[in-house]
Amino acid sequence: MRSVTIKEVALKCGVGIGTVSRVLNNSTQISEKTKEKVLDAIKELNYVPNVAGKRLSQNRSYVIAVIVPVIDHRYFSKLIAGLELAADKRGYSLLVASSQHRIEKERDILKRLMQNEADGALFVTHYEHQESEFEDLAIVSIDRHLGKDIPIVTTNNYEATKQGVEYMLERGCKKVAFLGTKPNQASEVSLREKAYLDVMKEHQLTPIVVNRNIDHGQEEGLIKELFEKYQGFDGVFVSGCTLASLLYKEVQERKIKVPDELQIVSYDGEFPIDKHTHITTLEQPLDLMAEKCVELIIKKINQENNFELLNKFDCHFIKGETTK
């Protein structure tokens, strides 16, 4: 099958070959309208850039590393799918690595980056790293604060959580608990607990918080702790989709009626518990976040500085069957 040429892409969208090349290299000298037109033509014609020569001449791999704690998690798997799509449109491939809850493995991956196995990395970590570990590396962080010059892609954690907690109070909840997990590394995710506490204070309500640093797979212990330590709560704001799913199953086993006796709102994303039940959720726009991550990492690779350090997206509130 004959390969589509860059000239054909240029003819398709009515621009010069140089413009197509600049779009592929993510140049900031191209307008968003032109860039969108070129990317649409690339997709329609199924154009595959020949990066072999570019790799040799520019000393680049055209590979972006993605470092996540685990891969078999609905949030990370959906995020990775979006990152792959966004990277592919720009002529980059992904190298996905799971730290498997080991900071030593994260550090090993960073060392390999320094050996040019990838041009840059998109990083999600639960551990505390020193800023010096990222010197001379192109890094973009998701949620975590890794260093003063490292851009972050995140969501409106504070505002969205406040909306979710107040939503339950408006629907009759008198005693709302907060259930979550938190990383050791400074993170925008910590604003979820802060927002919850601020709402409790504003309404002169006693907070109920179970929020600790754990590894993925240990969530059931937090749910057990919630029910052992506290009684009588009629609402739970949950800081993640895995916890929310496990909480729902626990309340079903306890014969607690949802939402009549207990209402649940979850951060992360919209997903079904069973054929008839969806959790009321604050959905993160992972497709938009993935696009921004790839845009930023390519700018970092190109040593461009025309970007915001904090890139925040609004969550989308989705009413499910777990609230009144």
Side-chain angles (χ1 to χ4, degrees):
M1 183 177 179
R2 186 182 69 84
S3 298
V4 175
T5 67
I6 191 171
K7 183 177 180 180
E8 289 173 286
V9 174
L11 288 171
K12 174 72 177 176
C13 50
V15 299
I17 292 174
T19 299
V20 177
S21 179
R22 284 192 289 275
V23 170
L24 290 170
N25 287 312
N26 204 42
S27 171
T28 57
Q29 298 176 353
I30 303 295
S31 70
E32 287 300 318
K33 184 177 180 181
T34 300
K35 184 184 294 186
E36 185 177 346
K37 183 165 61 171
V38 172
L39 290 174
D40 286 344
I42 287 170
K43 184 177 180 181
E44 183 179 340
L45 296 174
N46 196 27
Y47 171 68
V48 180
N50 180 6
V51 298
K54 286 166 59 179
R55 287 175 178 171
L56 289 172
S57 63
Q58 299 178 5
N59 192 28
R60 287 190 183 178
S61 64
Y62 283 85
V63 173
I64 298 169
V66 180
I67 309 170
V68 294
V70 291
I71 296 172
D72 57 341
H73 183 284
R74 69 177 79 222
Y75 171 84
F76 293 125
S77 60
K78 188 174 180 180
L79 176 65
I80 290 167
L83 291 171
E84 185 171 30
L85 182 63
D88 183 64
K89 288 194 300 186
R90 294 162 174 83
Y92 281 78
S93 301
L94 289 191
L95 173 64
V96 180
S98 165
S99 68
Q100 299 172 338
H101 309 298
R102 296 180 2 234
I103 191 170
E104 296 82 8
K105 185 169 182 181
E106 290 182 349
R107 287 177 174 144
D108 179 62
I109 295 167
L110 292 172
K111 287 178 183 176
R112 288 164 57 187
L113 278 180
M114 296 178 71
Q115 297 167 358
N116 296 324
E117 289 193 20
D119 297 328
L122 306 171
F123 199 12
V124 185
T125 180
H126 290 330
Y127 301 107
E128 186 173 1
H129 287 265
Q130 300 300 315
E131 191 171 348
S132 58
E133 296 180 55
F134 308 110
E135 287 180 355
D136 302 320
L137 294 176
I139 297 284
V140 171
S141 173
I142 300 169
D143 288 327
R144 302 345 180 207
H145 293 266
L146 300 180
K148 58 182 175 59
D149 296 321
I150 297 175
I152 302 169
V153 176
T154 188
T155 50
N156 61 334
N157 291 273
Y158 184 90
E159 296 83 0
T161 298
K162 191 172 182 181
Q163 177 188 7
V165 176
E166 289 180 339
Y167 185 85
M168 284 187 281
L169 294 176
E170 290 167 0
R171 276 146 189 80
C173 287
K174 304 295 183 185
K175 197 172 181 181
V176 177
F178 181 94
L179 179 64
T181 64
K182 53 185 175 183
N184 287 323
Q185 185 79 30
S187 173
E188 289 290 303
V189 173
S190 300
L191 292 174
R192 299 176 194 174
E193 181 180 346
K194 184 180 187 309
Y196 163 81
L197 292 173
D198 285 350
V199 174
M200 293 296 102
K201 183 178 180 180
E202 181 182 335
H203 289 268
Q204 298 182 327
L205 297 171
T206 302
I208 298 171
V209 177
V210 176
N211 188 28
R212 291 190 289 103
N213 178 268
I214 62 168
D215 289 337
H216 291 291
Q218 298 178 351
E219 290 87 357
E220 289 183 355
L222 294 180
I223 295 167
K224 182 179 179 181
E225 180 181 338
L226 175 66
F227 282 99
E228 285 181 349
K229 283 189 175 181
Y230 305 101
Q231 291 79 41
F233 50 88
D234 55 5
V236 183
F237 183 90
V238 193
S239 187
C241 59
T242 299
L243 262 178
S245 178
L246 292 170
L247 173 66
Y248 183 83
K249 290 175 183 176
E250 178 69 21
V251 300
Q252 291 296 101
E253 290 177 6
R254 290 173 177 265
K255 310 288 187 195
I256 299 171
K257 295 178 181 177
V258 177
D260 295 336
E261 297 174 343
L262 180 70
Q263 299 187 57
I264 301 170
V265 175
S266 173
Y267 213 96
D268 262 359
E270 195 252 349
F271 59 94
I273 293 295
D274 54 40
K275 281 192 262 185
H276 309 292
T277 307
H278 286 70
I279 288 190
T280 296
T281 189
L282 296 150
E283 183 178 49
Q284 300 190 68
L286 292 182
D287 52 345
L288 298 179
M289 293 171 69
E291 283 283 342
K292 178 56 72 173
C293 282
V294 173
E295 174 192 322
L296 287 169
I297 194 61
I298 294 176
K299 285 186 176 183
K300 290 285 285 183
I301 291 166
N302 292 335
Q303 298 182 339
E304 299 175 20
N305 296 311
N306 56 331
F307 54 77
E308 297 290 333
L309 285 173
L310 183 60
N311 301 268
K312 191 183 294 188
F313 290 87
D314 291 338
C315 288
H316 177 49
F317 183 87
I318 300 176
K319 171 72 170 69
E321 286 74 38
T322 59
T323 51
K324 294 178 181 178

